[in-house]
């Protein structure tokens, strides 16, 4: 297998949050943040910030703080999830997800810092 992580490398804890839109009793749309693994659940990941030629490519594409996350496979993680590092209040958005070699063992996730619209 080409892309893996040793247990000692899975040292960054993150939560995967999905935005759920619901209507309240007066039919007003409400947004609620839900952790896909359960309340307060944290997932151990390998977090690598962009560096070298990958950093220059990110600058050309106007990506904000790009990084690559490697974690165990879960079908609950989708491109609509937001990623929060433990202790960090600003989320990252998922750019792409790679199910490594389609073996359902590892996910390699490309993320960038989410910036609110101006």
């Amino acid at each position: 297998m080409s892309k893996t992580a040793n247990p000692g490398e899975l040292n960054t804890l993150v939560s995967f949050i999905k935005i759920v839109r619901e209507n309240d009793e007066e039919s007003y749309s409400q947004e609620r943040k839900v952790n896909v693994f359960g309340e307060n659940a944290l997932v151990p990941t390998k977090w690598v910030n962009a560096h070298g030629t990958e950093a220059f490519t990110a600058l050309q594409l106007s990506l904000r703080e790009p990084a690559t996350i490697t974690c165990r496979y879960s079908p609950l993680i989708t491109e609509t999830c937001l990623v929060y590092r433990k202790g960090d209040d600003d989320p990252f958005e998922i750019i792409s997800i790679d199910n490594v070699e389609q073996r359902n063992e590892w996910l390699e996730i490309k993320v960038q810092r989410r910036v609110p619209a101006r």
Side-chain angles (χ1 to χ4, degrees), residues 6 42 45 47 62 65-66 87 102 106 108-109:
N6 293 321
L42 295 171
T45 64
W47 187 286
S62 300
E65 298 181 48
Q102 302 301 313
W106 294 98
E108 186 176 86
I109 305 168

Side-chain angles (χ1 to χ4, degrees), residues 50 52-67 112:
T53 57
E54 189 177 40
F56 292 118
T57 303
L59 286 173
Q60 291 173 341
L61 297 174
S62 300
L63 298 179
R64 298 159 308 275
E65 298 181 48
Q112 73 174 357

Side-chain angles (χ1 to χ4, degrees), residues 3-5 9-10 12-16 43-50 54 65-72 77 82-85 92-98 100 106-112:
K3 299 175 189 173
T4 62
E9 294 177 313
L10 301 176
T12 303
L13 298 175
V14 301
S15 56
F16 292 93
V43 177
T45 64
K46 176 182 176 183
W47 187 286
V48 179
N49 292 316
E54 189 177 40
E65 298 181 48
T68 303
I69 300 171
T70 305
C71 66
R72 298 299 288 174
I77 301 172
L82 296 176
V83 180
Y84 285 85
R85 276 191 295 193
F92 286 80
E93 59 188 354
I94 295 175
I95 299 170
S96 68
I97 299 176
D98 178 25
V100 178
W106 294 98
L107 290 177
E108 186 176 86
I109 305 168
K110 300 283 186 177
V111 297
Q112 73 174 357

